[in-house]
Amino acid sequence: MSTFLHRVAHWAFRRRRTVVLVWVAVLAAVFLGAVNSSEAPEDSASLPGIESQQAFDLLDERFPGTEADGAQARVVFVAADGQQVTSTANRSAVDTLVDEVADGPQVAEATSPFDAHAVSEDASTAYATITYRTTADDLTEASKEALTAAVEHARDAGLTVEVGGSALETEPAQGIGEVLGILVAAAVLLITFGSLAAAGLPLLTAVLGVGISLATITALGSALGFSSTVGELAMMLGLAVGIDYSLFVVSRYREERAKGHQAQEAAALAVGTAGSAVVFAGLTVVIALLGLSVVGVPTLTKMGIGSAGTVLVGVLIALTAVPALLGFWPDAVLPRRDRKVPRRTRSRRPGRFGRNRNRIRNWTWNWNRQVTTPAGTARTPWGVRWARFVTRRPVAVLSLTVVGLGALAVPSLSLRMGMPGAEAKPTTTTERRAYDALADGFGPGFNGPLTVVVEVKGADDPAAAVTGVSDRLADIEGIVSVSPPHFNEAKDTAVVSAVPSTGPASEQTQDLVRTIRDERPAIESATGAEFQVTGTTALNIDVGRKMQDALVPYLAVVVGLAFLLLMVVFRSILVPVKAALGFLLSVGAALGAIVTVFQEGHGGGVFGVEETGPIMSTMPIFLVGIVFGLAMDYQVFLVSRIREAHIHGEQPGQAVVTGFRHSAQVVGAAALIMMAVFGGFMTGGESMVKMVGFGLASAVFFDAFVVRMAFVPAVLALLGKRAWWLSGRLDRLLPRVDVEGEALTRRAPAPDAASGDDDRRESVTV
């Protein structure tokens, strides 16, 4: 592997103009494809294999012309204090609104609250239901404007009017996530490298990779069903891994130049060593993302495919475009003191700005290298000091790490999964205010009714069979009311709505749905009718259960494949086991933090969480898939340097110290960049987006700064040489990939010209 990548980098360095032109041509081609492509499809809520989806499909079949997920607006009217919506003036305002909307485009039906008995017992609240002939995504601006104008007229009459449902669903406030992530990444890179060129190169290549990936996803959106959500996830991951992969190659290039290698050979050695780690780290990410297909959710499968393609593009750019760009500016990424052209000296004394600039430059240069102070004392890099501390006290560090992460993971045992709805939106949105008004006027369960689809094809008396089902549903504890049945034209299917006594996101509602389905055999036997439970509330419950059931198989597939890959990379059994255990600790702690903040509400105000509730159903799967791949990045980059030192003859404890000397700082910088990219998405207004950003950022923190920096060196120190044991049979069966670049070291030993000048060694290395 390392020899092949060494040749690739040599070629890319020599043919740098060709390489750059090819990547620019690829970007132009996919951009043209994206411009001329059809509009990307919207996110599909289809989820095969669950009862709620089957009932939705049945509704579409038996009630043609009205889609089960068609657009609907629920206009909520609240009278002023001491008044009632049934008063003459308020009733007139409500009727006027219903009449205005009924004549609007795309409206199928507008039902007055006074005709549908949709007035609360105290007459303080009422609601009108507006049904459209199309889905919310296909509503025209004219339809939305007509509804908005009618609402404003009712408000002018003195009523408080809010609109729930999907017709006027507000877009979440856009944050500055991507911009903030790039700015923080630039600052981290500048501090790490002390060079604008070295900091800018990873950013440039990451933006190139994200641009190619997003354009490709857009171009293939119509053909492969890639929605905008696929592009958003790909952009988030592409920025993170693209910066990190280029960062590792550039760092190794600077190290090889500091050893005395010429630019072309240094670039080739960097790609042959750090590039090998990039390849296998990228493969672990791809495995984790493609593993989303085992969940059985088409949307997740498409997200995994799109994101995996983005990661592959990032790997290819790091292996080809980075050495090519280094060929154009071989010395620009080096510290100023190591460049071939010395800085022109000035006779005059530098001003205040110059003195401050020099202080900053010296600080960034000296951050991770051993220097001699004027007093003659050596300042050891922080990574080395920390590694020595851990290897001297491995039992204490390991115990503290496991206990601490285990304690953080305890809240995850009470994880409740669901799909937060309007109750999770900010109170500044009309959907949230409509939700609260309905809950106050009609009870918390009113916002989450259960739709029951009753089939009566084989019944002697269809009407009596449906009535029997409705009566038995009304007798179940937890059901407040059951609506009159609504039959289709063929009179073989009816729909009834059952209102729970508890909110749609509560555990009691989940138990109620389970109870209804448990009692179904007895009800069907007594009435001769068959029924299924669906609706948004039941759908969210079913999705959460399906995700929970898929989590263990997904973990088994992803961890199993990655275990085999890491066994090939490190030629060890215990090192992959240690990597998997460390990952489980970090994910458990991250899930515990998510439950603490977003489900239990502790510290929620700090992150702008206005309402607690269940954790988004797809969150654990996303967390496991994405973070597993990213965690293995740090595993490969850190442990490969430790193994490199070990196979070159160092004792296990010293090999850990050497590995940290070369890679601790750059892994820390990479983790900070990841956290910045993910944490930037918390600036948006959508609670679910905040949850994703918080979960991924916290998981990266736990994995990079706790597991990889404390758990890993402590375990390796305790295992000693046993960490690298591999049975003879496996040693013969497994292919040799030479991630450490041992073959390159034998072929191209470091020049001896400037040996001994350790003070000129590079500050950041992989």
Side-chain angles (χ1 to χ4, degrees):
M1 173 65 74
S2 60
T3 304
F4 170 74
L5 294 178
H6 183 271
R7 292 197 299 268
V8 170
H10 260 299
W11 175 83
F13 193 97
R14 290 195 310 270
R15 306 293 185 185
R16 46 189 173 272
R17 290 181 178 83
T18 301
V19 172
V20 171
L21 286 176
V22 167
W23 280 113
V24 172
V26 170
L27 177 61
V30 295
F31 178 77
L32 289 176
V35 170
N36 296 319
S37 65
S38 303
E39 185 177 355
E42 297 295 330
D43 291 321
S44 173
S46 177
L47 191 60
I50 62 174
E51 178 179 326
S52 300
Q53 185 63 51
Q54 294 170 354
F56 266 122
D57 296 338
L58 181 62
L59 284 175
D60 288 337
E61 176 187 343
R62 301 293 173 83
F63 293 83
T66 58
E67 299 188 39
D69 56 349
Q72 188 181 75
R74 181 172 283 176
V75 184
V76 184
F77 307 93
V78 181
D81 291 341
Q83 297 184 16
Q84 295 181 331
V85 292
T86 53
S87 66
T88 303
N90 289 335
R91 183 167 186 145
S92 174
V94 172
D95 289 337
T96 300
L97 180 145
V98 173
D99 292 339
E100 284 186 40
V101 175
D103 296 333
Q106 297 181 301
V107 175
E109 184 180 11
T111 305
S112 170
F114 309 111
D115 297 334
H117 307 288
V119 180
S120 63
E121 291 185 4
D122 60 359
S124 65
T125 309
Y127 67 91
T129 302
I130 315 299
T131 306
Y132 291 87
R133 292 189 297 267
T134 183
T135 63
D137 299 325
D138 294 330
L139 277 182
T140 63
E141 288 300 321
S143 297
K144 296 179 181 180
E145 290 174 0
L147 177 58
T148 302
V151 168
E152 291 300 328
H153 295 159
R155 287 173 177 167
D156 293 340
L159 285 170
T160 297
V161 187
E162 305 295 346
V163 183
S166 58
L168 291 184
E169 187 172 7
T170 56
E171 293 294 329
Q174 296 297 317
I176 55 173
E178 300 88 343
V179 176
L180 179 62
I182 291 177
L183 291 177
V184 174
V188 172
L189 289 169
L190 184 59
I191 293 174
T192 302
F193 284 130
S195 165
L196 285 174
L201 182 57
L203 291 174
L204 175 63
T205 54
V207 171
L208 173 64
V210 169
I212 291 174
S213 301
L214 288 181
T216 303
I217 290 172
T218 303
L220 299 177
S222 178
L224 300 182
F226 288 154
S227 65
S228 59
T229 306
V230 176
E232 292 172 3
L233 180 61
M235 178 176 59
M236 182 170 61
L237 280 178
L239 281 176
V241 302
I243 293 173
D244 280 2
Y245 292 164
S246 298
L247 165 67
F248 290 122
V249 174
V250 172
S251 299
R252 189 64 182 247
Y253 171 80
R254 284 158 59 104
E255 177 188 353
E256 298 300 335
R257 289 296 302 273
K259 292 178 180 178
H261 288 293
Q262 294 299 314
Q264 183 171 338
E265 181 62 20
L269 288 172
V271 174
T273 52
S276 298
V278 165
V279 169
F280 283 95
L283 284 177
T284 58
V285 181
V286 169
I287 288 173
L289 292 170
L290 293 182
L292 290 171
S293 59
V294 305
V295 179
V297 179
T299 301
L300 287 182
T301 301
K302 293 171 185 176
M303 287 182 178
I305 293 174
S307 301
T310 302
V311 173
L312 288 177
V313 171
V315 171
L316 292 175
I317 286 179
L319 300 180
T320 57
V322 170
L325 293 174
L326 289 174
F328 285 106
W329 302 283
D331 297 328
V333 299
L334 303 178
R336 187 180 294 273
R337 56 190 171 80
D338 288 343
R339 298 176 191 174
K340 291 181 179 179
V341 181
R343 183 177 52 184
R344 185 176 62 183
T345 58
R346 301 176 184 268
S347 58
R348 62 184 178 86
R349 187 176 181 180
R352 178 182 299 178
F353 174 77
R355 292 195 298 271
N356 292 337
R357 182 182 59 189
N358 290 337
R359 291 191 191 103
I360 296 174
R361 182 182 297 122
N362 291 335
W363 176 56
T364 57
W365 287 347
N366 297 336
W367 184 13
N368 196 40
R369 68 185 181 94
Q370 185 167 315
V371 298
T372 303
T373 63
T377 59
R379 187 172 66 192
T380 306
W382 68 266
V384 173
R385 295 197 302 270
W386 173 251
R388 288 173 179 168
F389 172 82
V390 174
T391 54
R392 285 196 299 265
R393 303 169 181 83
V395 175
V397 172
L398 181 61
S399 301
L400 184 61
T401 301
V402 173
V403 171
L405 291 178
L408 290 172
V410 169
S412 65
L413 298 176
S414 59
L415 172 69
R416 290 191 296 110
M417 291 197 292
M419 292 298 292
E423 76 279 5
K425 291 182 176 292
T427 54
T428 54
T429 62
T430 187
E431 299 101 308
R432 171 62 186 277
R433 294 194 295 269
Y435 180 96
D436 292 341
L438 289 172
D440 293 339
F442 297 91
F446 189 81
N447 285 295
L450 304 175
T451 301
V452 182
V453 184
V454 186
E455 285 192 274
V456 289
K457 276 188 175 181
D460 297 332
D461 187 348
V466 174
T467 302
V469 172
S470 299
D471 292 342
R472 287 179 174 267
L473 290 176
D475 292 337
I476 296 177
E477 184 179 358
I479 296 290
V480 175
S481 63
V482 178
S483 69
H486 173 59
F487 279 89
N488 64 344
E489 291 184 6
K491 303 299 181 182
D492 59 359
T493 307
V495 177
V496 297
S497 180
V499 178
S501 60
T502 53
S506 68
E507 290 185 78
Q508 293 86 345
T509 303
Q510 296 184 22
D511 295 337
L512 175 62
V513 172
R514 189 179 301 111
T515 299
I516 293 174
R517 289 170 175 168
D518 289 342
E519 296 187 11
R520 175 164 45 198
I523 297 176
E524 291 180 344
S525 176
T527 61
E530 298 178 355
F531 70 88
Q532 293 176 309
V533 183
T534 185
T536 303
T537 300
L539 180 64
N540 291 340
I541 293 172
D542 289 347
V543 170
R545 186 175 297 120
K546 184 177 179 66
M547 294 296 177
Q548 192 166 1
D549 294 340
L551 186 58
V552 173
Y554 176 65
L555 267 175
V557 170
V558 171
V559 174
L561 291 175
F563 179 88
L564 295 176
L565 185 63
L566 292 177
M567 191 164 60
V568 171
V569 173
F570 296 118
R571 308 197 69 77
S572 166
I573 295 177
L574 295 179
V575 169
V577 170
K578 177 254 321 159
L581 293 177
F583 161 74
L584 293 176
L585 282 173
S586 60
V587 166
L591 279 175
I594 293 172
V595 171
T596 300
V597 174
F598 289 88
Q599 182 175 305
E600 299 177 355
H602 303 301
V606 178
F607 303 102
V609 180
E610 299 182 8
E611 186 74 20
T612 60
I615 304 304
M616 185 174 62
S617 299
T618 53
M619 185 65 210
I621 294 287
F622 271 131
L623 195 70
V624 169
I626 296 174
V627 175
F628 183 84
L630 300 182
M632 293 305 104
D633 283 1
Y634 309 134
Q635 169 74 13
V636 171
F637 288 118
L638 180 62
V639 180
S640 63
R641 291 308 298 258
I642 296 175
R643 185 174 186 273
E644 180 179 346
H646 175 70
I647 65 176
H648 288 165
E650 293 188 10
Q651 293 299 312
Q654 183 57 39
V656 172
V657 175
T658 301
F660 267 68
R661 178 190 299 274
H662 291 299
S663 57
Q665 181 188 347
V666 78
V667 167
L672 288 176
I673 291 170
M674 291 275 191
M675 292 171 61
V677 173
F678 294 146
F681 283 82
M682 295 183 63
T683 61
E686 187 69 32
S687 176
M688 289 187 290
V689 176
K690 290 181 180 180
M691 188 185 300
V692 172
F694 175 84
L696 294 177
S698 59
V700 169
F701 172 79
F702 292 135
D703 193 272
F705 293 107
V706 182
V707 171
R708 306 303 154 192
M709 295 297 178
F711 178 84
V712 168
V715 171
L716 292 178
L718 288 173
L719 291 176
K721 294 182 178 180
R722 295 186 298 273
W724 311 108
W725 175 83
L726 186 68
S727 67
R729 177 174 297 180
L730 282 176
D731 187 53
R732 291 189 297 270
L733 291 176
L734 294 178
R736 296 184 178 274
V737 294
D738 189 22
V739 176
E740 298 81 12
E742 185 178 4
L744 299 179
T745 304
R746 291 194 301 265
R747 288 177 48 186
D752 200 23
S755 61
D757 190 9
D758 290 336
D759 285 351
R760 293 180 61 81
R761 286 184 179 272
E762 180 47 43
S763 62
V764 184
T765 58
V766 178

